[in-house]
Amino acid sequence: MIRALVLGTLICGLAACGGNRNPARNAESGVELPYRAKLSFGNDPRDIEINVDADGASVEDVRESVRHKATSYCLLKFGGSDTEWDIDPLTDDWAFTQNGDDLIFTGRCTIR
């Protein structure tokens, strides 16, 4: 009887975790992120490149979509959520290149 109770409690606990989380949603607000970001990595998997179809949007507009993609990847692959972004020395902000409507950001997953 006790085994059945423990097993039932574990099953209910795991079911509450939910596996239907939409990765395009911001964890804090539950609001869907406005821009689709695609991540790729280099020879060293800590070196990442994130391509965002920004359709003319600014860095400020796409920043949360880029940050969310990097945080998810770094946390799952390396156990830490920190990313060291390449910085543009002129603006002292995240560096990026532009390819048509796409903004391409580069960084590196860091371990604390």
Side-chain angles (χ1 to χ4, degrees):
M1 181 68 179
I2 292 176
R3 285 185 186 174
L5 182 60
V6 170
L7 184 60
T9 303
L10 287 173
I11 289 172
C12 289
L14 288 174
C17 291
N20 296 341
R21 181 155 153 60
N22 181 349
R25 290 192 181 274
N26 182 331
E28 278 185 22
S29 66
V31 175
E32 194 159 324
L33 296 171
Y35 302 96
R36 182 173 298 274
K38 297 176 189 168
L39 184 141
S40 57
F41 54 88
N43 291 335
D44 182 339
R46 290 179 295 171
D47 294 329
I48 58 174
E49 178 178 283
I50 299 176
N51 187 327
V52 180
D53 182 2
D55 197 24
S58 69
V59 172
E60 282 301 316
D61 292 338
V62 301
R63 189 180 305 269
E64 188 60 27
S65 296
V66 173
R67 186 187 343 259
H68 181 268
K69 185 60 82 172
T71 298
S72 297
Y73 174 78
C74 294
L75 187 60
L76 291 173
K77 284 295 234 184
F78 304 105
S81 61
D82 294 339
T83 304
E84 184 178 295
W85 297 103
D86 291 346
I87 301 295
D88 183 337
L90 297 176
T91 63
D92 218 20
D93 199 0
W94 293 359
F96 65 92
T97 56
Q98 192 163 4
N99 183 8
D101 284 339
D102 293 354
L103 299 180
I104 303 164
F105 299 85
T106 55
R108 182 174 177 84
C109 295
T110 60
I111 300 171
R112 296 181 194 185

